[in-house]
Amino acid sequence: MYVADRTWPELGDYVAAESLAVVPLGSTEQHGPHLPLATDHLIAEALAREAADRTDVLCTPTVNVGVSPHHRQFHGTMWVDAPQFRDYVESMTRNLAYHGIDRVVYVNAHGGNAQHLREVGRRLRDDGTMYAIEWMWDESIPDLVNEVFEHNGPHGGPKETAMIMHIAPELVREDRLEDARDGGLVDLDDSDRYMKHGARTFYDAIENSENGVFGDQTDATPETGERLFEAATEQLVHLIEWLNDRRFEDLMEPAHVDPQPGSRR
């Protein structure tokens, strides 16, 4: 159920009976010469809306701009600073709580958002508002991703290329796949380019990849993209069902260990 397509009376029927929502989040940032800047938020919204349709839960509009300053050297990349991103997502999520939502899944497709969504979830649980957790699509199916690609790549690689080939094939510049591979960093085992004596020596993607992407994009196919999409959607559906079955009290912050502070005063 996509919230923006509904009327307020229809949503009243939902919140009277249900209390879970999915919130898709991505980014608007460079994904090499072959993929659109919309890649992450297209993936997040497609997965969130498909899982919401299969489980009949609420799906909010997508947060399209995320924490992406590490891609800023490439034309078109947009970002918000981390504190503002956290505050915005927290505020948006709290208005869901006002309407009766007490558990949220952040359907995330941008690695730069992950730690900040975890922090927002902690804030919301610590004050008893709701239980909100971050879910990253490729982390839900790591074995499959490793199985289907020899050189995966964490950004703009074959997994994201295959997903967009499935979700929005008209946006993939298939004539640039070899350019993406040859101008980027294919083998991530070449760690000397970004690690020195156990320290990460880089801050921005361009320091490791001239065209901003990693892995071998020529491995991607629409069929593989469909396989990844279905597997990730299945995992998200299972997560939603698991979360729906939990008692709210069991999701909240556990009690301090005994003896309780001040109990002997």
Side-chain angles (χ1 to χ4, degrees):
M1 178 186 295
Y2 183 56
V3 64
D5 288 344
R6 300 290 176 163
T7 68
W8 71 260
E10 291 169 345
L11 292 173
D13 293 339
Y14 179 83
V15 298
E18 305 292 342
S19 62
L20 189 149
V22 294
V23 179
L25 306 99
S27 66
T28 299
E29 64 182 26
Q30 71 85 16
H31 276 77
H34 63 302
L35 291 180
L37 276 72
T39 291
D40 286 347
H41 69 250
L42 289 174
I43 293 172
E45 181 167 337
L47 288 167
R49 293 187 68 162
E50 181 65 25
D53 286 346
R54 295 186 189 186
T55 56
D56 200 28
V57 301
L58 199 66
C59 178
T60 73
T62 305
V63 178
N64 288 341
V65 178
V67 183
S68 303
H70 48 294
H71 295 293
R72 66 186 182 274
Q73 289 89 354
F74 296 94
H75 301 305
T77 292
M78 301 181 68
W79 70 92
V80 292
D81 292 332
Q84 285 70 38
F85 176 79
R86 291 192 295 265
D87 288 347
Y88 177 85
V89 174
E90 179 180 351
S91 179
M92 185 185 76
T93 310
R94 287 188 185 279
N95 76 55
L96 293 174
Y98 179 82
H99 291 299
I101 300 300
D102 65 15
R103 57 204 76 192
V104 161
V105 177
Y106 294 125
V107 178
N108 183 35
H110 173 51
N113 295 339
Q115 63 178 314
H116 308 296
L117 295 173
R118 289 285 299 172
E119 171 60 24
V120 171
R122 176 174 288 281
R123 293 181 190 178
L124 294 166
R125 190 181 77 151
D126 283 355
D127 67 13
T129 298
M130 67 165 56
Y131 184 78
I133 52 173
E134 184 262 350
W135 177 85
M136 185 77 176
W137 74 269
D138 57 320
E139 293 180 359
S140 76
I141 51 171
D143 292 341
L144 177 58
V145 171
N146 289 332
E147 172 192 331
V148 297
F149 301 121
E150 181 178 0
H151 296 293
N152 177 25
H155 179 76
K159 66 186 176 188
E160 291 183 323
T161 304
M163 286 285 272
I164 298 301
M165 284 178 168
H166 171 61
I167 294 167
E170 71 281 3
L171 298 180
V172 180
R173 282 64 167 176
E174 295 200 36
D175 61 333
R176 302 298 303 277
L177 295 180
E178 291 185 3
D179 293 342
R181 177 196 63 198
D182 296 341
L185 179 63
V186 174
D187 190 353
L188 295 180
D189 290 335
D190 186 12
S191 60
D192 190 57
R193 295 184 62 168
Y194 55 89
M195 293 287 291
K196 298 290 184 184
H197 309 295
R200 294 179 183 270
T201 57
F202 68 96
Y203 285 96
D204 298 327
I206 199 170
E207 295 177 77
N208 299 318
S209 170
E210 291 183 1
N211 68 5
V213 295
F214 305 84
D216 184 354
Q217 293 75 14
T218 64
D219 280 349
T221 67
E223 293 75 20
T224 303
E226 181 178 12
R227 188 177 173 192
L228 296 176
F229 184 86
E230 287 300 317
T233 300
E234 183 178 352
Q235 289 299 309
L236 181 53
V237 166
H238 289 327
L239 176 61
I240 291 169
E241 292 171 343
W242 173 86
L243 193 53
N244 243 339
D245 289 341
R246 305 275 79 75
R247 294 192 316 152
F248 179 74
E249 295 79 8
D250 294 337
L251 296 169
M252 289 295 96
E253 180 183 2
H256 193 291
V257 297
D258 289 330
Q260 293 293 303
S263 60
R264 296 176 182 170
R265 292 174 189 163

